[in-house]
Amino acid sequence: MGNSLKAILAFVPSNKCQKYLLEDLEEMPVDKMVDLSGRQMRRLPVHICSFRELVKLYLSDNNLNHLPPELEQLQNLQILALDFNNFKALPLVVCTLKQLCILYLGNNKLCSLPLELRLLQNLKTLWIESNCLQYLPEVVCELSLLKTLHAGSNALRCLPPQLQCLQELRTIWLSGNLLSEFPPVLLHMPFLEVIDVDRNSIRFFPSLAHLPGLKLVIYDHNPCRNAPKVAKGVRRVGRWSEESPEPRKRSGAVIDITLDDKPLLPPAAKTEPE
């Protein structure tokens, strides 16, 4: 079906047109997964909400800005992908899906997150990259099982001190924000394994050598005059990463990073819950 035809049919509420959009998806899929990514949809066909055993729902790359209240029926849902849509606010119905483990909200127009997000206490992975966030919503700090937080490409200038309450957090991606200093709260999170502050405005890095869990720190593309000190065996990606933390030459060369060297940021394929 051509994208232009899909875009037209997305406006037509008749059951026949919506069925055409779903391409005859009438029964619950055997794998308990529905992928409606890239369908030019402006609203989610309510019929999908009748698949009450659904575990994975991918709605990426559409034109959605709201979701039907019937979505609450999907109480077995573990993965929900809403990235690359037009959400200005997270629909509260999402916060009723208490079995969610992975939530993709990247590339929307979110300026905040609702307090009701705290109800998602099984959430382990949250992707909120490429939105309009000027601060990290404190409600994120109440997601006690969160292991991966991707908040890159926003307008963050700092992180809330409450973030250190997330003792399960292992990976935090903050690339492409407006950080002028290394977030102090991260210095009190010894369980972190990956810290990415690439492409910010950080001029000085404190020592990270006291973080016993740290495996990788990415700090490239900052106007820094020093590399962060790290414990033996910790990999650094950035200026002077292969030299001593205090470079001999102030104008030390930036080390080229190949695609094989730099760890993948958000993968194209959605990940599975652990």
Side-chain angles (χ1 to χ4, degrees):
M1 187 194 308
N3 285 340
S4 58
L5 180 56
K6 288 182 182 178
I8 294 173
L9 292 180
F11 281 105
V12 183
S14 73
N15 291 333
K16 183 177 292 187
C17 288
Q18 292 302 305
K19 181 179 178 181
Y20 191 42
L21 273 177
L22 294 177
E23 297 181 356
D24 294 324
L25 183 61
E26 296 181 359
E27 298 182 358
M28 173 75 182
V30 176
D31 59 4
K32 298 182 180 181
M33 178 186 77
V34 168
D35 187 351
L36 296 177
S37 301
R39 303 292 183 96
Q40 305 296 313
M41 294 189 304
R42 294 181 180 270
R43 66 186 186 90
L44 176 65
V46 177
H47 176 62
I48 293 299
C49 301
S50 66
F51 300 157
R52 300 197 177 193
E53 299 301 314
L54 202 64
V55 173
K56 307 171 188 176
L57 179 57
Y58 299 99
L59 301 174
S60 308
D61 193 19
N62 281 293
N63 294 305
L64 300 172
N65 57 28
H66 69 280
L67 294 171
E70 290 84 355
L71 190 73
E72 185 177 4
Q73 300 175 33
L74 302 182
Q75 286 301 312
N76 290 297
L77 207 61
Q78 295 181 28
I79 301 177
L80 177 60
L82 299 174
D83 46 332
F84 292 94
N85 276 285
N86 292 317
F87 291 104
K88 294 183 178 180
L90 179 65
L92 292 183
V93 67
V94 172
C95 301
T96 68
L97 305 174
K98 297 182 180 180
Q99 297 303 313
L100 278 183
C101 297
I102 302 177
L103 179 58
Y104 296 94
L105 300 175
N107 290 273
N108 278 285
K109 301 174 182 178
L110 301 174
C111 294
S112 63
L113 294 173
L115 292 177
E116 288 81 357
L117 189 73
R118 62 166 63 107
L119 298 175
L120 301 182
Q121 285 300 308
N122 285 307
L123 206 61
K124 295 183 178 179
T125 300
L126 177 62
W127 296 44
I128 50 176
E129 79 284 0
S130 299
N131 275 285
C132 305
L133 298 170
Q134 297 185 18
Y135 61 93
L136 184 68
E138 292 185 7
V139 67
V140 172
C141 304
E142 299 185 45
L143 303 173
S144 60
L145 295 184
L146 200 65
K147 296 185 68 174
T148 299
L149 175 61
H150 195 312
S153 300
N154 279 285
L156 304 181
R157 296 180 181 274
C158 61
L159 297 180
Q162 296 91 330
L163 193 69
Q164 64 183 300
C165 295
L166 297 182
Q167 298 191 13
E168 296 298 319
L169 194 65
R170 297 294 180 267
T171 303
I172 185 165
W173 306 94
L174 298 167
S175 174
N177 276 287
L178 301 176
L179 300 173
S180 59
E181 66 172 347
F182 186 83
V185 65
L186 300 184
L187 299 176
H188 303 286
M189 301 178 70
F191 33 80
L192 283 175
E193 296 180 358
V194 177
I195 299 175
D196 177 12
V197 288
D198 185 24
R199 299 184 185 279
N200 278 277
S201 300
I202 300 172
R203 294 186 175 275
F204 175 79
F205 280 94
S207 173
L208 306 180
H210 66 289
L211 300 179
L214 194 61
K215 298 178 180 177
L216 170 67
V217 56
I218 306 171
Y219 65 96
D220 209 8
H221 304 99
N222 280 280
C224 56
R225 296 183 178 181
N226 72 311
K229 293 180 180 179
V230 294
K232 185 177 181 180
V234 178
R235 188 178 180 203
R236 297 178 299 177
V237 177
R239 181 178 292 188
W240 311 305
S241 62
E242 301 303 326
E243 301 177 12
S244 66
E246 302 299 332
R248 295 187 182 89
K249 295 182 179 179
R250 182 172 171 179
S251 59
V254 176
I255 296 173
D256 291 332
I257 305 300
T258 67
L259 291 178
D260 291 333
D261 289 331
K262 193 167 182 179
L264 292 177
L265 293 180
K270 308 302 183 187
T271 56
E272 303 293 329
E274 296 184 358

